[in-house]
Amino acid sequence: DDSSPYVRAGLQMLSHSPEEATDILVASADHRSIGTRRTVAENLSRTHSQEATLALTLADRLSSETDESIQTLCASFVGGLARFSEEEFVGRAQSILAKGNQKATQRLVESGLRDYLSTNSTDPAQLLSLAWLSSSEIGRSRVGNLIVEQARVSPEAFQTTCETIKQANPESFDNLAKWVEMRSTDAYELL
């Protein structure tokens, strides 16, 4: 049932038999065994270092996964993409945030959102508002810090982020306003 050894074999074969390795890894990403799919997800970064396109294909196949641990592993990988390619990161990040998995959201925020915002402080994809709306109370502190930081770097983008949250969920916006008020009076005045 668990074909994890085949995944490891496929990973070993990537350098010398990429076509066969691709067949093994793609089949493994679709395998009925959660353990097999989890092993593929655990090795997305390793796969990306050898075959970037294959890793993205595998991540996309695993993105429909209902198992929360696999979603979280995929979120770690996707977060790392923020350092390499905004184009590869944004759509996948939106998909992860839309699922509402708290651990996956937190992992994405930790591993990629800061890198994304460092090159894109205006956040045209509205990832900050999505992250705030899909985070638990505990997970919101890191997102809140990024929102306050956005206020410092781009006040207009901060206002857009806050307005998006307000339109989507007024109660969540009230929580954000309280949070911002405690962290930065300058940012709070922009609300």
Side-chain angles (χ1 to χ4, degrees), residues 132 158 162 165 170-184 187-188 191:
W132 178 267
F158 166 78
C162 294
I165 293 168
E171 184 183 335
S172 191
F173 171 75
D174 291 341
N175 292 335
L176 173 62
K178 289 174 191 165
W179 203 93
V180 169
E181 184 178 25
M182 290 189 299
R183 299 301 186 280
S184 169
Y188 185 71
L191 293 176

Side-chain angles (χ1 to χ4, degrees), residues 20-53:
E20 290 169 322
T22 296
D23 291 344
I24 291 169
L25 294 172
V26 168
S28 297
D30 294 334
H31 198 274
R32 69 181 179 278
S33 159
I34 287 178
T36 301
R37 296 192 311 271
R38 188 175 293 130
T39 303
V40 174
E42 287 169 349
N43 287 286
L44 286 170
S45 293
R46 177 180 172 186
T47 306
H48 191 263
S49 67
Q50 292 182 272
E51 292 284 337
T53 304

